[in-house]
Amino acid sequence: MGKVKQTLMEALDLDEMNDVRTMTTFNPNNDPVYSIPLSELVNLWRAKYGDTWIDVSEIEDDFWSDASARLHTNKKMEELNHHSDNSPWARLKEDA
C-alpha cells in the first residue's frame, strides 16, 4: 500500500477490507439547505427568485429543490394550483 493511501486510510480510520462507507444515512447537519437558519434560507430564496411565481416541478438544482421543500414544510410559501394546469406554482409569502 502506498504511503499516501496508508495515510488517508489511517486518517479516515478505515480498515481497507472491512469498512465500507455508504451514503444511505441522511444527516441534515451536513446539508447546507438544512444547516442554515430558516430566515437565511428565506433571504437566499428572495434574492434568487424575488416575489415571482416559480413552477417548483421545474427546479433542477438540488439545493433549490430542497430549499423549496423546507420552505413549504415551514409554511413560508404560498401555493397556486391553477385549475387549468397541474404544475405546482409557489412563491414566498409576504410575511416569510
Side-chain angles (χ1 to χ4, degrees):
M1 178 177 346
K3 184 174 174 125
V4 172
K5 184 176 180 182
Q6 182 177 358
T7 303
L8 287 172
M9 297 298 277
E10 289 171 2
L12 294 172
D13 193 28
L14 295 175
D15 177 24
E16 186 174 21
M17 303 301 259
N18 299 330
D19 195 0
V20 176
R21 301 234 174 160
T22 62
M23 300 284 291
T24 58
T25 305
F26 172 72
N27 182 343
N29 296 304
N30 297 332
D31 189 317
V33 171
Y34 298 97
S35 62
I36 63 174
L38 189 58
S39 60
E40 188 174 335
L41 188 61
V42 167
N43 290 336
L44 288 172
W45 186 277
R46 186 168 281 125
K48 180 160 178 73
Y49 295 111
D51 65 351
T52 59
W53 288 96
I54 304 299
D55 181 346
V56 295
S57 68
E58 293 183 1
I59 298 175
E60 294 181 8
D61 183 273
D62 287 342
F63 178 88
W64 294 110
S65 180
D66 290 348
S68 172
R70 183 175 177 204
L71 292 168
H72 274 89
T73 298
N74 288 282
K75 307 212 182 316
K76 300 291 184 184
M77 300 291 272
E78 180 179 7
E79 297 179 5
L80 172 68
N81 289 310
H82 194 268
H83 60 84
S84 65
D85 190 4
N86 291 329
S87 299
W89 291 82
R91 70 177 177 182
L92 281 177
K93 289 183 177 179
E94 291 178 29
D95 61 349

